[in-house]
Amino acid sequence: MDKKIRRIGVLTSGGDSPGMNAAVRAVARTAMYYGIECIGIRRGWQGLINSDFVILNQDMVRHILGRGGTILYTARSDEFMTEKGREKAVATCKMLGLDGVVAIGGDGTFKGALELSRLGVPVMGIPATIDNDIGCSNYTIGFDSACNTAIDCIDKLRDTMQSHERCSVVEVMGRHAGFLALYVGIAVGATSVLVPEAELNFERDVVERIQNARLSGQTHFMVVVAEGVGSAIDIGNRIHESLGLDPRVTVLGHIQRGGAPTGRDRETATRMGYYAVKAFAEGRTGSVICTREGGIVETPIEEALAMTKHLQMDRYAILEAISASGHLAN
Ligand code: F6P
């Protein structure tokens, strides 16, 4: 790409995550720094189809660094999945004179980015999802905030579970991945953590762990279930049938997607936004900005989509050793 970049668009797409606003701000401010105009495309890819935009000047991105949600709104667009929809999106890019688009979101967003780049629109991607399930990047914007929100909720649950000497079953988000459940489970010292990456053996993974915890003197039990495993209500029922306990089930749900981004998410989002625009300004395009081994790397979108990331099973082993060995360790 040897043409001077004059104007870019930025959009947020898919499920929102805390820190998306920080990324939008960084994209807009870095663009200003390079003398590039920045247009905010509202409601993700659908906004590109509908020519739904707002000019991002200094005022628009002031005071949004620490705000949850996304000022650009977000959506999952079925129309963009069609050839006709994408043609309309390309027409909007031409009409607005966009020399590039920064797309902030998860896998679905990057699939859209790939399609658009194949139609000649330069695109850069920024990974943002509370699921942390983007193969090309060690970290995705929003994961830390969602972990902290879930930890805060579970700490509160623990107070009442302790008072009543109960068993609590908590379902956390993560779609098909167990990153959120595992990190949260370790941080709250859960009795058991169920993730979709490990085949469930109910007797070993739940019953024996609760029994061990009881034998070690524990009178309340915390079971964290990733939504990808299935319903926490079913797990609660099975605990009742197997152990005679009367568990309380809490589905944390969308609360995990809200709230102010943590320092880690603000900092990562700001770095990613900066590098996405810097790449455009230096003539590079067609990549996802990723964190790897502490640094930032650009991974071509197609390659990024083909990459997978595995749950760190060593962390699962740590959890087993520390939280699940109960009286055996004493
Ligand atoms: O991808 C983020 C996420 O919050 C997942 O953890 C969850 O499965 C999904 O989005 C929920 O999507 P929606 O907001 O459409 O209900």
Side-chain angles (χ1 to χ4, degrees):
M1 204 169 58
D2 35 16
K3 176 179 157 214
K4 163 125 179 58
I5 298 279
R6 292 179 199 287
R7 187 175 299 137
I8 57 169
V10 58
L11 59 84
T12 50
S13 165
D16 64 351
S17 67
M20 276 185 162
N21 278 329
V24 169
R25 169 183 174 271
V27 167
R29 290 263 167 96
T30 310
M32 286 170 212
Y33 172 78
Y34 280 110
I36 299 170
E37 269 184 74
C38 189
I39 308 269
I41 308 295
R42 289 189 293 211
R43 302 174 177 88
W45 297 122
Q46 193 59 43
L48 214 48
I49 293 171
N50 297 345
S51 197
D52 180 4
F53 68 93
V54 58
I55 291 167
L56 291 183
N57 55 28
Q58 284 284 7
D59 282 345
M60 283 294 295
V61 296
R62 220 182 291 282
H63 307 312
I64 65 166
L65 176 61
R67 259 172 66 186
T70 161
I71 60 160
L72 295 178
Y73 305 99
T74 183
R76 294 186 173 105
S77 171
D78 290 335
E79 199 180 348
F80 193 78
M81 298 295 145
T82 68
E83 217 179 297
K84 234 185 161 68
R86 289 194 293 272
E87 276 167 17
K88 284 191 204 165
V90 173
T92 303
C93 290
K94 283 191 184 143
M95 198 263 294
L96 294 178
L98 298 184
D99 299 313
V101 173
V102 178
I104 304 168
D107 262 344
T109 306
F110 301 152
K111 280 182 193 143
L114 183 62
E115 294 298 334
L116 199 66
S117 63
R118 281 180 176 151
L119 295 172
V121 178
V123 186
M124 289 297 292
I126 293 182
T129 161
I130 65 161
D131 303 337
N132 200 27
D133 61 347
I134 304 294
C136 62
S137 190
N138 291 154
Y139 188 76
T140 64
I141 298 166
F143 178 67
D144 189 54
S145 305
C147 281
N148 280 293
T149 298
I151 290 163
D152 186 44
C153 291
I154 294 174
D155 283 347
K156 289 189 170 99
L157 272 174
R158 183 184 296 286
D159 289 343
T160 168
M161 289 299 129
Q162 247 167 0
S163 311
H164 288 263
E165 299 182 294
R166 272 178 176 151
C167 174
S168 190
V169 181
V170 182
E171 183 181 308
V172 301
M173 278 190 168
R175 204 179 286 273
H176 306 298
F179 293 99
L180 201 52
L182 182 56
Y183 277 64
V184 167
I186 289 175
V188 300
T191 317
S192 170
V193 178
L194 308 182
V195 293
E197 291 84 351
E199 201 186 328
L200 176 63
N201 175 332
F202 192 76
E203 190 62 24
R204 179 196 63 200
D205 301 334
V206 182
V207 175
E208 283 178 19
R209 289 201 188 149
I210 292 177
Q211 284 171 333
N212 282 341
R214 181 70 195 97
L215 288 166
S216 77
Q218 190 97 339
T219 56
H220 67 279
F221 316 101
M222 183 65 67
V223 178
V224 175
V225 183
E227 65 172 335
V229 169
S231 159
I233 296 173
D234 290 346
I235 300 290
N237 289 339
R238 289 176 74 178
I239 290 173
H240 176 68
E241 283 157 22
S242 306
L243 290 159
L245 297 172
D246 185 18
R248 293 295 188 267
V249 178
T250 306
V251 178
L252 293 183
H254 288 81
I255 201 155
Q256 295 159 102
R257 291 229 302 252
T262 59
R264 180 174 187 187
D265 281 325
R266 295 179 200 200
E267 194 271 344
T268 308
T270 302
R271 254 189 319 145
M272 286 180 165
Y274 167 79
Y275 279 109
V277 178
K278 187 171 189 278
F280 270 144
E282 293 174 355
R284 295 186 305 283
T285 177
S287 289
V288 176
I289 297 292
C290 310
T291 61
R292 231 174 282 156
E293 281 138 35
I296 294 280
V297 292
E298 293 167 23
T299 309
I301 302 173
E302 196 163 4
E303 207 178 294
L305 281 167
M307 290 172 83
T308 49
K309 181 162 69 180
H310 300 290
L311 190 71
Q312 304 92 331
M313 293 317 272
D314 56 324
R315 283 202 164 94
Y316 204 68
I318 293 169
L319 179 93
E320 278 181 24
I322 292 179
S323 301
S325 51
H327 71 299
L328 303 174
N330 293 326

